[in-house]
Amino acid sequence: MSAASVEQPFDDDEPFSLTAIADEIMERHPGYRVEIIGGHLLVTPSPDAPHARALTGLMLPFIAAGLHGAETEVLQNVGLWLPTGSEDYAIPDLVVVDSDIDDHFVENNAYDPVCFRLVLEVTSSNWKDDLRTKPGAYAQAKIPVYLVVDRKHQRLHVLTEPAGSEYANHRVHAPGETITLPETIGAEVTLDVEQIIKAGQRKAN
């Protein structure tokens, strides 16, 4: 996904800042999500209704398992500070975090990855970022569980055991399967792959 052109907000003599450019894009294109990973801008368009529907459906089993309470919280669109670059951060669709997340604020509305137990992305038109770019960044941030709802290929990816710049364990699940996420996220959460994938598809007229 490429964003519309943005005028350089700096004079030639001033330092180059990707963060300022990201802020400029979001100001000019409300609803767009801009992230910086590996020194590159990733721009995601406003989510469509099926994306939002899948995300809402995914929140329910996490909340039902008691993960939105005293010890952990289930939140959407929370900034995650990344160790992959001086300005790097991501804004996952859904996260499970320690309830003391407010104590781990870094800057630019992003928080230290130490308080993140799970990161979840529902793919949009730039699905390659979620499947190819972000796994390495999240692994380096030592996020214990990375879950991807791949709407394009109708699969659910579960990545665990971060090791360096990759996950040692990457399993792909198809509709018809039921999976149970690692209890390290704080509770036992079981997901119906077909139900999740179906929620992310456009409804037939």
Side-chain angles (χ1 to χ4, degrees), residues 45-55 122-125 151 199-202:
S46 301
D48 57 13
H51 180 286
R53 190 178 299 118
L55 197 54
V122 177
T123 62
S124 296
S125 57
R151 295 195 293 161
Q201 305 301 309
R202 294 185 182 277

Side-chain angles (χ1 to χ4, degrees), residues 27-55:
E27 182 178 342
R28 294 190 179 197
H29 303 278
Y32 277 58
R33 180 176 62 182
V34 184
E35 303 162 291
I36 304 173
I37 299 180
H40 297 281
L41 290 167
L42 303 182
V43 183
T44 306
S46 301
D48 57 13
H51 180 286
R53 190 178 299 118
L55 197 54

Side-chain angles (χ1 to χ4, degrees), residues 93-170:
D93 289 320
L94 186 71
V95 297
V96 176
V97 296
D98 294 337
S99 58
D100 66 349
I101 185 173
D102 293 326
D103 297 333
H104 296 281
F105 178 80
V106 179
E107 60 179 274
N108 197 32
N109 290 329
Y111 297 83
D112 192 311
V114 70
C115 63
F116 288 73
R117 300 190 183 193
L118 174 143
V119 164
L120 185 152
E121 301 280 12
V122 177
T123 62
S124 296
S125 57
N126 56 345
W127 54 271
K128 291 181 181 179
D129 290 334
D130 293 331
L131 293 173
R132 299 179 184 177
T133 304
K134 292 184 177 180
Y138 290 153
Q140 289 185 59
K142 297 181 173 59
I143 304 300
V145 181
Y146 177 34
L147 184 64
V148 184
V149 180
D150 180 2
R151 295 195 293 161
K152 180 176 178 62
H153 304 100
Q154 299 188 25
R155 294 290 186 268
L156 193 66
H157 297 251
V158 181
L159 293 81
T160 58
E161 302 175 26
S165 60
E166 61 183 17
Y167 281 92
N169 190 350
H170 181 173

